Amino acid sequence: MVVENTMDIGNLRFNEYYHQFMTFEADALTEKCADRISVSTDDCYALCSSWINDEGEIMFNVLSIGPTWETCTKGLDLPEMLASFTMEEVMDCQVRIVIPDFEMMQKNASFLEHVEHETDEELIELRQDDRLDDLRDRIYPDLVELTYFNHGRMQLCLMKLRDVQGPFICGEIVEPEETDLPIGEKTYALPYIGPDGIGLLRVYGDDTMDEDEHEMLHEIIHTAEEYGFGFDGYRLKN
């Protein structure tokens, strides 16, 4: 196990820890592992990776525990995870990114295959797209900040990521603020570069488009897919 510098997880961007390996100075949190393994008072460190559960919440799965940053291997040989932590539980914990060995990667791969096997591939790709990291909710990373125009003014709301269609990121409006955007509306967004970095701009919404706009949207998507152009750039077509 090779560990890097200590930091606060709040200073890490989502893709710096999503599906990655890290050791937390977890202190009493390791007691959550007591149902799987004997936990001593010295076992204050937890080797974790992370996944997103069915409710869309980021979770940290515990592969092993131990008394120091470098010797956090107790329980690594067990096939199952020892426990899981929420973001709220580890938010104030110190963390070190870990360069994993084969045993860690093998155990975690089996776990991820089990918990994410029904997750849409395009959604996983959106989760792994670090261009969106600054827009994500800290606890529910599939919720991203969306910019839209409301009576000539730019405002913000939250969109739940779903998939990619042509050049558009698609999702559902979940939290409009002071607007008449319908909750649950399927929304099509494009990236833009603003003074604070990348943003997502709402271009179309299923519930507010007229027939001509629907036809235009489908033409854009069809043309983009025909030529292999998508949100993540140009893809060669077979």
Side-chain angles (χ1 to χ4, degrees), residues 146-149 157 159 165 168-173 180-190 201-218 220-221:
L146 179 72
T147 302
Y148 66 97
F149 285 100
C157 65
M159 177 179 76
Q165 294 188 31
F168 298 102
I169 287 184
C170 298
E172 297 176 359
I173 299 296
D180 56 359
L181 289 180
I183 298 289
E185 178 192 53
K186 184 173 183 180
T187 295
Y188 302 80
L190 288 174
L201 178 67
R202 177 182 180 268
V203 181
Y204 294 106
D206 263 0
D207 294 344
T208 53
M209 282 191 291
D210 59 29
E211 185 175 343
D212 290 340
E213 288 174 321
H214 269 289
E215 290 182 3
M216 183 181 298
L217 171 65
H218 292 150
I220 292 172
I221 293 173

Side-chain angles (χ1 to χ4, degrees), residues 159-177:
M159 177 179 76
K160 185 174 184 179
L161 296 173
R162 290 298 186 193
D163 57 20
V164 174
Q165 294 188 31
F168 298 102
I169 287 184
C170 298
E172 297 176 359
I173 299 296
V174 297
E175 188 182 299
E177 297 179 0

Side-chain angles (χ1 to χ4, degrees), residues 7-233:
M7 63 195 77
D8 188 289
I9 195 168
N11 295 326
L12 294 175
R13 302 174 81 237
F14 173 69
N15 270 282
E16 291 179 305
Y17 56 81
Y18 177 56
H19 284 181
Q20 305 302 314
F21 295 83
M22 68 218 83
T23 300
F24 286 103
E25 188 175 17
D27 295 327
L29 281 176
T30 58
E31 290 294 335
K32 295 182 69 174
C33 304
D35 290 340
R36 298 284 189 184
I37 197 170
S38 174
V39 179
S40 74
T41 56
D42 293 331
D43 293 326
C44 296
Y45 296 85
L47 172 67
C48 301
S49 186
S50 63
W51 90 102
I52 296 176
N53 67 17
D54 292 341
E55 288 70 44
E57 182 178 2
I58 184 72
M59 302 292 293
F60 297 90
N61 49 298
V62 182
L63 289 83
S64 58
I65 57 176
T68 69
W69 294 106
E70 294 81 8
T71 58
C72 195
T73 57
K74 187 176 179 180
L76 187 60
D77 57 334
L78 299 177
E80 69 274 2
M81 294 297 160
L82 304 185
S84 62
F85 302 149
T86 67
M87 175 61 82
E88 291 174 321
E89 287 175 321
V90 301
M91 184 66 77
D92 297 326
C93 295
Q94 292 292 293
V95 63
R96 292 186 183 182
I97 301 299
V98 172
I99 300 174
D101 58 26
F102 178 76
E103 188 177 10
M104 297 175 197
M105 291 189 290
Q106 186 178 44
K107 179 172 182 176
N108 201 52
S110 297
F111 173 76
L112 291 180
E113 183 178 1
H114 173 68
V115 297
E116 293 190 341
H117 72 282
E118 293 184 353
T119 305
D120 184 83
E121 183 177 340
E122 287 190 339
L123 179 56
I124 291 180
E125 290 180 0
L126 286 174
R127 290 172 177 174
Q128 294 173 338
D129 195 323
D130 61 5
R131 294 174 296 174
L132 302 176
D133 282 0
D134 292 335
L135 305 176
R136 299 182 190 275
D137 182 83
R138 176 65 70 174
I139 296 175
Y140 296 94
D142 291 339
L143 299 184
V144 295
E145 193 175 78
L146 179 72
T147 302
Y148 66 97
F149 285 100
N150 185 26
H151 302 295
R153 297 173 53 210
M154 295 182 71
Q155 292 186 300
L156 298 175
C157 65
L158 289 179
M159 177 179 76
K160 185 174 184 179
L161 296 173
R162 290 298 186 193
D163 57 20
V164 174
Q165 294 188 31
F168 298 102
I169 287 184
C170 298
E172 297 176 359
I173 299 296
V174 297
E175 188 182 299
E177 297 179 0
E178 300 178 0
T179 178
D180 56 359
L181 289 180
I183 298 289
E185 178 192 53
K186 184 173 183 180
T187 295
Y188 302 80
L190 288 174
Y192 69 94
I193 301 296
D196 299 320
I198 195 169
L200 285 179
L201 178 67
R202 177 182 180 268
V203 181
Y204 294 106
D206 263 0
D207 294 344
T208 53
M209 282 191 291
D210 59 29
E211 185 175 343
D212 290 340
E213 288 174 321
H214 269 289
E215 290 182 3
M216 183 181 298
L217 171 65
H218 292 150
E219 181 65 24
I220 292 172
I221 293 173
H222 174 75
T223 302
E225 291 178 344
E226 181 180 3
Y227 288 95
F229 181 76
F231 168 74
D232 55 351

